[in-house]
Amino acid sequence: PETDEAAHFQAKVDREIKIEPRDWMPDGYRKTLVRQISQHAHSEIVGMLPEGTWVTRAPSLRRKVQLLAKIQDEGGHGLYLYSAAETLGTSREEMVDALHEGRAKYSNIFNYPVLSWADIGAIGWLVDGAAIINQIALCRCSYGPYARAMERICREESFHQRQGYEIMMSMAFGTKEQKRMAQSALDRWWWPSLMMFGPSDRESAHSSQSMQWKIKRVSNDDLRQQFIDMTVPQADYLGLRMPDPDLKWNEERGHYDFGEIDWAELKRVVSGDGPCNKERMAARIKAHEDGAWVRDAAAAYAEKQRMRKEA
Ligand code: ACO
């Protein structure tokens, strides 16, 4: 009976034995993973767009090469993640359709505009920094294919974070105007980066079940605090000011206290009404439609090979 299977499943999870694609799993576990992994994949793919707008405007050949490499990595991360989700029985086509039809989410952060070169630095430093904190925890996810994908992705993300911080260093230690640009980028990206960790634990719909299944290993608020504690000293080193008057080291807690996040803004941006949602989705759908001939050609070629083998 299913109850025995469910108990056996939970016992495996509790003993830190990875769940693999052919193992029995509760429907809810499968559904949660497809939701989270596909949204994660969509975030990587949509995440290529804001940075892509700066490839032609990178200030030097070296910066262009770094940025191109990072954007290509993100494309690769999206593909690993779609493959990991496909092991759960949902096709990539279905997942992509869900994104294009507005039925699937992607990270809030990619709906903000990239206004200057300093923003490219801030994205690498803050957005990839936040992604690493979240993804290190996911390396211990109970689902094998997702956990293993995360290990490789984290290594690549750490290069992304460093290239971003290095841009911030050049700007913050550069001319007055460059420092001003760096500060403005930090002012605009700080709060949306904190929102990447999701709603507060109190509001998080999926957390308690996902923690029990060990899909999530650390809560949204704990990861957010970890990110803040790591990042504040990095801003200090750059000589930049965090845009939060309530940010202050709390000796007793051993953590930074910080101001209230604008949860209404997160809700708005996640539900399609952020500064760039429409632009991002239009660009994504156009790229998908423009690429239809490539998919058709690959399918026709595969069919030809199959016929040849049969003949
Ligand atoms: N942006 C968009 N939607 C979000 C965000 C966010 N930053 N945070 C939470 N949400 C959504 C959830 O997807 C969920 O919506 P749904 O039920 O329609 O799927 C809802 O808000 C409620 O949130 P939670 O119950 O806390 O959701 P969950 O348990 O899935 O936790 C989290 C959210 C932490 C983002 C988790 O899904 C996760 O770790 N995902 C993998 C990491 C990831 O997606 N990173 C993408 C950005 S990093 C990068 O790509 C470089």
Side-chain angles (χ1 to χ4, degrees), residues 35 39 105-106 108 134 196 198 204-206 216 220 270:
R35 176 186 62 79
Q39 292 184 3
K105 295 192 169 79
Y106 58 92
N108 69 302
N134 167 276
M196 285 175 69
S204 166
H206 305 292
K216 285 169 96 162
N220 296 4
V270 165

Side-chain angles (χ1 to χ4, degrees), residues 32 35-37 39-45 47 70 74 77 81 103-110 127-128 130-132 134-135 138 146 150 157 160 192 195-200 203-207 210 216 218 220 223 266 269-270:
T32 299
R35 176 186 62 79
Q36 178 169 327
I37 302 173
Q39 292 184 3
H40 195 165
H42 301 329
S43 303
E44 298 281 357
I45 299 294
K70 171 188 196 292
E74 278 151 12
H77 296 175
L81 286 162
R103 287 181 282 117
K105 295 192 169 79
Y106 58 92
S107 182
N108 69 302
I109 197 73
F110 302 118
V127 174
D128 292 281
I132 292 173
N134 167 276
Q135 290 171 168
L138 290 173
Y146 193 27
M150 281 301 113
E157 295 286 9
H160 300 172
M195 294 174 197
M196 285 175 69
F197 296 94
S200 73
E203 300 287 325
S204 166
H206 305 292
S207 275
S210 288
K216 285 169 96 162
V218 184
N220 296 4
L223 288 173
L266 175 61
V269 172
V270 165

